[in-house]
Amino acid sequence: MQFTRLSQAARATSRSLSSRQLQNRKLASVASARPDVCPPYSKLVKNLGEVRKVLGTQGLTLAEKILYSHLDNAEESLGGRNGNVRGEAYLKLKVDRVAMQDASAQMALLQFMTCGLPSTAVPASIHCDHMIVGERGADVDLPKSIEGNKEVFDFLESAAKKYGIAFWAPGSGIIHQIVLENYAAPGLMMLGTDSHTPNGGGLGAIAIGVGGADAVDALVDAPWELRAPKILGVRLEGQLNGWATPKDVILHLAGKLTVRGGTGYIIEYHGPGVETLSATGMGTICNMGAEVGATTSLFPMTSSTLAYLNATGRSHVAEAAVKTQKESDYLRADETAKYDEVITINLSELEPHINGPFTPDLSTPLSKFKDVVKENNWPEKLSAGLIGSCTNSSYQDMLRAEHLVKQAAAAGLKPVADFFVTPGSEQIRATLERDQTLDVFSSAGGTVLANACGPCIGQWKRTDDIKKGDSNAIFTSYNRNFRSRNDGNAETMNFLTSPELVTAMIYSGSTTFNPMTDSIPTPDGKTFKFQPPTGPELPPNGFIPGNLDFKPAPESIPSPETPVVVSPTSNRLALLEPFKPFGTSELKDMKVLFKVKGKCTTDHISAAGAWLKYKGHLENIANNTLIGAMNAETGETNVAYDFDGSSMGIPELARKWQKEGKEWLVVAENNYGEGSAREHAALQPRYLGGRVILAKSFARIHETNLKKQGIVPLTFANEQDYDLIGSCDSVSTVGLLEMLNNGGNGEVSIEVIKKDGKKHTIPVKHTFSKDQAGFVLAGSALNLLSKKA
C-alpha cells in the first residue's frame, strides 16, 4: 500500500461536505494569521499587577503568572489566604480560547445550543480528526470516512457557521498540531475538549483538557473553575544526544511519577536544558504529560518558540511576546519562585525509553528492554510500527525518521513489519510531500494515512492477519496504550516510544532489537548498523499550506440565519433533555450496579473506536457504558448480576433498573476515569440513572465531568472500606444534601445494607466547591448556565 497524492476524488468529497455552506468559504493561507491569535498581553500584565497586590511580594512560577492573570476576580479567588493558594483555592478563570475535536464537539455544541446565545463569547475552533479511519491510506480512507460521517460533519460545520466558530474540515489535521501551528502562544490560556490539549504548553500556553460542559462555561462567558494546582518543577540540564529525543523525557518522567503522580499539579519545565529543545519537541513532552494526570504542562518562551511562531506565520505574536517579556517579565518564572516538588533530569545522560504494554507509565530504558521482553514472555515478533499522531508528527519527527529510512535503503534493507505514517496536519503533509520525504516512506512500503488521529484513537482497521484475541506487539510514537485502544484487540501490546525507535524497529521486525548496539544482516551478506538520526527543527524552505479547502475562513463571523438541523430520526445526533434537579432529600436506597476491579479509564467507561459515531446521540452511545470494566467479584468483563442472580451486560442492567425506578452507584478503585477527557463517561451513567461514583481516587478531568453532569463523586476515607461494599448492596447518603446546600462545606458518610441484611457506615470524602455543589443541586451545570444565559 503506497502513498499517492490526495486524489481529485478525495478533494471533491471533502468539498461536498456541505457544498451550500462551502461555496462562499474564503481560503486561508499559512501567513493569514487571524487577529485574535495574539494573547491580550496588556490586559494580562495589568491583571497580574492586581494579583500581586493581593498576594504580596511572593515569587510566582510561570504557570501561576498565566493562571492568575486570567482570574475573573483576583480578590475573590486569592484574597485572605496568606499565600495558601496551591491545592486549596478555587480559581474562577476567564480563558482566551476554546478548541474542540469532532467527537467531543458534538456534545459540547448540543449543550451550548441549549443556552440560546447567538455566538460564542471567546474565539473557538472545531477540528475534524477523530472520525477518520486509518486503513489503506489517505487517498482511500479520507473520502470514505467523510461519506460515512457526513451527517455529523454537516452538523458541526453548520453550527460553526451559525455561532462564528472556525471549522477545520476533515483532512486538515489533528487538533493539537493545528493548535500549535495556528493558535498556541506564550501566555495564552485555552481549554480543549481533549485530554492532550496540554500540547500547547510547548509554546508557553496554559492549555488544559476538559469535558464539553467545561468548554461551554467559556463559550458562554461564564468563569471556568479550577482548583489551584500545585506546581511540579522539572529542571532540565544538559542536552539530548544520539538516539535520545524529547519523547524520552516524558517517557522517563511517566515511569517516575506513574499515571497518578501528576494529579493536582501543573508540570513546569525550567533550567538550562530547556533552551536546547525544539518547540515541537517541547509540545511532545507537554502532550504526554496527560498520562501522569497533570492538569497541564508548560515551557517558558525560548528562541525555538519564537522561531516556530515566525515559521508558522505569527511574527506579530512573537514580536508582542518579546516586547511583553522585556517590559514586564510576564513570560518567565520569578527568580524567587518556589515549586512544591522538583525533579531534575540530565538530558545528556537520558537513554531512549520504551513504555508499556497496556499502561503508559511502565517505563523501560532501551538497554534493558530485551531482557524485560524475555522475562515477561512478551511477543518478540513486531507486527507493525506506526509513527505520527498528535504527540509526534512534527516536521522534525518525520525528517529524523526519514534519515533512518534512507540509511536502511542505502544498505538494501526493507521493513519486515508493516509501517504506517500519520502526518499531523495538512501543512506538515504538504511540506513533506514537497521535500520528497513522503516519497522516501512510500518507497520503503510505508502507508501514509490521512492527517487525522486514526489508529491512535482506535480508528485503525487492520488489514494484516492479526485477529481479535491474537497476542501481538506494535511499536508506536503515540501517547496512550490501554488495552483494545488502537485496534479493538485486547491482546495487542502497544509499546510507546519515539518515532526514531519505531522506524528502526520495523527493519529488524523484533521487539528485542536495540539499534544503538545491534546490527541487521543485509541482502549482500554484510551487516548494517544504524547511525543516530538527525533532522532539522523547521523546513529550510518554509512550510506550505497544502489543500486550502481544508482550512477555515480567515474571519469567523457568526451567521445567525444558518439552520442547524438535527433529524428526530437520526441515530447519530439527538438534542438534549435537561437532567432532573437533585431533589430535597438524601439519596436513599441506591443499589450498587457494579464493583470495578483495577484500572478503569474513560476507555473502559465509554469506549472509542466504532462507538465514536454515536458521540452526538446520548441514548445510543449509552449502550457502551462500562463495557470494558472488570467485575471485582467474578473477574468477568462487562458482566453484571441482578438481585435474582441473572447476569447481563452492565448497560443492560442499568437500563433495567432505570425502568424499575432504581437509582444506582458504581464502586471503583484508584484513578477512576483516567485517560481521555471524554465527558460521555459521565453523561452516560447519569443518563442511565447513576447518581454516585464511589472510588478510592479519581482522575482530575473525570471528577470534574461527573460534577458537571450532576453525579456525585465520593472517595473512601479509608481505602480498605472498598472491601465492605458489593454489588446489589443498598446505599444511602448521610449529610450529602446538607453539604450541597452549604456550598460544599460539611461531612458526608454512606450507610450500606448488605444483601444479607448487615449494615455498615462508611466515612467518605468529597472535593466540592460552592459552584460544584450548585451544579449537582440543579441537576447539571448546564441547567444553571441555561438559566443564566
Side-chain angles (χ1 to χ4, degrees):
M1 295 176 284
Q2 305 282 317
F3 172 83
T4 56
R5 189 182 183 91
L6 192 63
S7 68
Q8 292 299 316
R11 296 184 183 187
T13 304
S14 73
R15 291 193 192 100
S16 68
L17 185 64
S18 181
S19 57
R20 178 181 58 79
Q21 294 159 359
L22 281 172
Q23 61 186 355
N24 294 321
R25 173 181 282 178
K26 299 175 184 178
L27 300 183
S29 71
V30 70
S32 64
R34 297 173 60 205
D36 57 17
V37 302
C38 187
Y41 287 126
S42 296
K43 174 185 174 182
L44 297 175
V45 170
K46 180 181 178 181
N47 290 350
L48 184 59
E50 296 301 314
V51 168
R52 291 196 186 277
K53 291 178 182 178
V54 175
L55 292 179
T57 59
Q58 69 183 71
L60 298 176
T61 66
L62 174 59
E64 289 176 305
K65 285 184 176 182
I66 301 174
L67 269 183
Y68 300 167
S69 66
H70 284 86
L71 284 167
D72 186 42
N73 186 314
E75 179 63 39
E76 178 184 347
S77 292
L78 306 178
R81 292 186 170 273
N82 297 318
N84 188 21
V85 174
R86 297 179 193 171
E88 300 293 335
Y90 277 94
L91 310 177
K92 293 186 177 181
L93 302 155
K94 287 295 189 77
V95 304
D96 300 312
R97 170 173 292 282
V98 172
M100 299 169 279
Q101 39 94 336
D102 51 356
S104 56
Q106 296 170 61
M107 195 57 66
L109 288 171
L110 288 168
Q111 292 177 87
F112 174 75
M113 287 165 59
T114 68
C115 297
L117 297 178
S119 65
T120 63
V122 298
S125 54
I126 297 170
H127 305 264
C128 297
D129 61 357
H130 272 54
M131 303 179 71
I132 299 169
V133 173
E135 182 182 4
R136 299 188 178 279
D139 218 38
V140 175
D141 299 341
L142 182 57
K144 185 176 180 181
S145 295
I146 291 174
E147 181 180 2
N149 296 291
K150 186 177 186 300
E151 178 185 9
V152 171
F153 291 145
D154 283 353
F155 163 73
L156 293 175
E157 187 174 21
S158 63
K161 184 174 183 180
K162 183 179 183 72
Y163 298 114
I165 301 171
F167 180 77
W168 292 81
S172 59
I174 305 172
I175 176 173
H176 310 305
Q177 181 66 29
I178 292 179
V179 166
L180 203 69
E181 292 173 353
N182 295 271
Y183 301 129
L188 180 85
M189 184 176 179
M190 67 170 286
L191 302 181
T193 58
D194 189 283
S195 57
H196 293 106
T197 298
N199 192 81
L203 282 185
I206 288 282
I208 301 176
V210 297
D214 278 0
V216 173
D217 284 349
L219 293 176
V220 303
D221 199 31
W224 175 69
E225 188 176 70
L226 173 71
R227 193 167 198 166
K230 296 182 179 181
I231 312 296
L232 170 62
V234 177
R235 177 178 171 82
L236 301 182
E237 300 176 347
Q239 183 169 359
L240 295 169
N241 56 74
W243 287 85
T245 71
K247 183 67 165 282
D248 297 304
V249 174
I250 188 60
L251 293 175
H252 167 70
L253 188 61
K256 293 177 70 69
L257 292 176
T258 78
V259 292
R260 292 194 289 149
T263 303
Y265 286 84
I266 288 178
I267 301 176
E268 183 171 316
Y269 293 87
H270 63 283
V274 166
E275 300 290 340
T276 69
L277 299 173
S278 66
T280 52
M282 292 187 284
T284 292
I285 294 169
C286 290
N287 177 296
M288 202 175 156
E291 311 319 320
V292 300
T295 301
T296 192
S297 299
L298 179 68
F299 277 87
M301 182 173 66
T302 69
S303 58
S304 293
T305 310
L306 301 175
Y308 188 80
L309 287 170
N310 288 323
T312 51
R314 291 171 287 171
S315 298
H316 68 296
V317 177
E319 292 170 2
V322 170
K323 182 174 183 290
T324 299
Q325 174 59 18
K326 182 178 180 180
E327 295 176 351
S328 66
D329 200 31
Y330 174 61
L331 298 174
R332 283 272 177 173
D334 292 337
E335 289 186 5
T336 55
K338 295 182 179 179
Y339 299 99
D340 293 284
E341 295 180 39
V342 175
I343 294 173
T344 300
I345 299 175
N346 189 332
L347 301 179
S348 301
E349 299 174 355
L350 187 65
E351 183 180 349
H353 280 64
I354 299 170
N355 286 28
F358 306 136
T359 184
D361 60 349
L362 183 56
S363 183
T364 306
L366 176 61
S367 61
K368 299 179 180 179
F369 193 71
K370 179 178 180 178
D371 293 336
V372 173
V373 169
K374 293 182 179 296
E375 289 169 7
N376 289 281
N377 199 29
W378 292 336
E380 293 191 31
K381 179 183 177 182
L382 180 65
S383 62
L386 303 95
I387 65 171
S389 84
C390 66
T391 318
N392 281 112
S393 56
S394 70
Y395 184 84
Q396 184 180 34
D397 289 327
M398 296 300 177
L399 266 289
R400 285 169 63 89
E402 179 195 19
H403 181 220
L404 295 172
V405 173
K406 285 182 173 179
Q407 289 183 47
L413 295 173
K414 290 278 190 179
V416 295
D418 288 346
F419 183 36
F420 296 90
V421 179
T422 302
S425 68
E426 172 62 7
Q427 178 171 285
I428 293 291
R429 186 210 64 79
T431 304
L432 293 175
E433 182 181 45
R434 179 203 64 193
D435 294 349
Q436 299 183 318
T437 300
L438 296 184
D439 289 339
V440 173
F441 292 147
S442 176
S443 65
T447 300
V448 178
L449 301 173
N451 313 317
C453 299
C456 185
I457 191 59
Q459 295 279 43
W460 185 22
K461 189 173 181 180
R462 295 184 72 159
T463 57
D464 55 14
D465 58 358
I466 300 295
K467 299 178 177 60
K468 292 287 181 69
D470 289 352
S471 178
N472 72 106
I474 62 175
F475 271 58
T476 78
S477 66
Y478 302 165
N479 47 37
R480 196 161 281 166
N481 57 353
F482 304 142
R483 283 186 183 271
S484 305
R485 180 176 177 88
N486 303 110
D487 59 2
N489 179 11
E491 298 307 316
T492 293
M493 299 184 187
N494 178 0
F495 294 96
L496 306 172
T497 190
S498 66
E500 293 88 335
L501 274 190
V502 174
T503 305
M505 290 291 190
I506 62 171
Y507 285 94
S508 73
S510 172
T511 60
T512 62
F513 177 66
N514 182 344
M516 295 180 67
T517 59
D518 298 346
S519 299
I520 302 173
T522 60
D524 60 4
K526 299 178 181 178
T527 58
F528 164 77
K529 182 181 176 184
F530 284 106
Q531 296 300 307
T534 60
E537 287 187 25
L538 297 167
N541 296 316
F543 289 108
I544 58 173
N547 184 355
L548 295 172
D549 286 348
F550 293 147
K551 297 179 180 291
E555 299 290 342
S556 296
I557 301 173
S559 178
E561 71 280 2
T562 300
V564 181
V565 179
V566 177
S567 169
T569 60
S570 172
N571 69 350
R572 299 289 300 272
L573 297 163
L575 298 177
L576 298 174
E577 294 291 334
F579 294 128
K580 293 181 180 179
F582 182 84
T584 58
S585 63
E586 294 285 337
L587 298 177
K588 297 288 187 181
D589 199 30
M590 294 179 292
K591 308 301 180 185
V592 178
L593 176 76
F594 198 77
K595 184 175 181 179
V596 180
K597 179 181 180 181
K599 186 185 284 284
C600 193
T601 71
T602 49
D603 278 16
H604 294 85
I605 306 166
S606 176
W611 289 95
L612 287 175
K613 63 184 177 182
Y614 297 126
K615 284 284 190 176
H617 200 293
L618 184 53
E619 181 179 1
N620 285 347
I621 200 169
N623 289 323
N624 78 3
T625 305
L626 285 160
I627 61 174
M630 180 182 294
N631 192 317
E633 295 158 325
T634 68
E636 299 167 295
T637 299
N638 189 30
V639 179
Y641 289 85
D642 205 348
F643 293 94
D644 61 2
S646 59
S647 65
M648 61 193 77
I650 299 171
E652 287 74 27
L653 182 59
R655 287 188 185 277
K656 178 176 182 293
W657 283 5
Q658 184 182 42
K659 289 179 181 178
E660 295 171 354
K662 294 185 179 76
E663 295 183 324
W664 50 266
L665 73 155
V666 167
V667 178
E669 296 202 73
N670 276 309
N671 213 31
Y672 182 84
E674 172 192 343
S676 297
R678 62 190 67 149
E679 66 180 339
H680 294 75
L683 276 164
Q684 293 168 216
R686 180 75 163 105
Y687 178 76
L688 294 176
R691 301 301 302 273
V692 170
I693 305 293
L694 175 61
K696 293 181 179 179
S697 65
F698 288 94
R700 175 193 64 85
I701 298 176
H702 188 63
E703 183 176 16
T704 300
N705 286 348
L706 291 169
K707 295 172 183 175
K708 287 273 183 170
Q709 301 304 336
I711 289 184
V712 177
L714 299 172
T715 56
F716 292 99
N718 304 300
E719 288 192 3
Q720 59 268 30
D721 288 345
Y722 169 86
D723 298 327
L724 298 179
I725 189 168
S727 61
C728 293
D729 288 351
S730 294
V731 176
S732 299
T733 60
V734 179
L736 176 61
L737 180 63
E738 183 179 0
M739 179 273 288
L740 293 173
N741 283 326
N742 287 337
N745 296 313
E747 302 293 326
V748 179
S749 62
I750 61 170
E751 291 182 347
V752 180
I753 302 177
K754 304 289 293 180
K755 286 177 286 187
D756 60 8
K758 292 182 180 179
K759 298 181 180 181
H760 299 292
T761 297
I762 298 177
V764 296
K765 297 187 292 185
H766 69 86
T767 59
F768 277 91
S769 68
K770 180 179 179 180
D771 285 356
Q772 292 167 347
F775 300 157
V776 172
L777 288 172
S780 72
L782 185 60
N783 289 356
L784 282 183
L785 283 177
S786 297
K787 290 180 181 179
K788 291 178 180 179

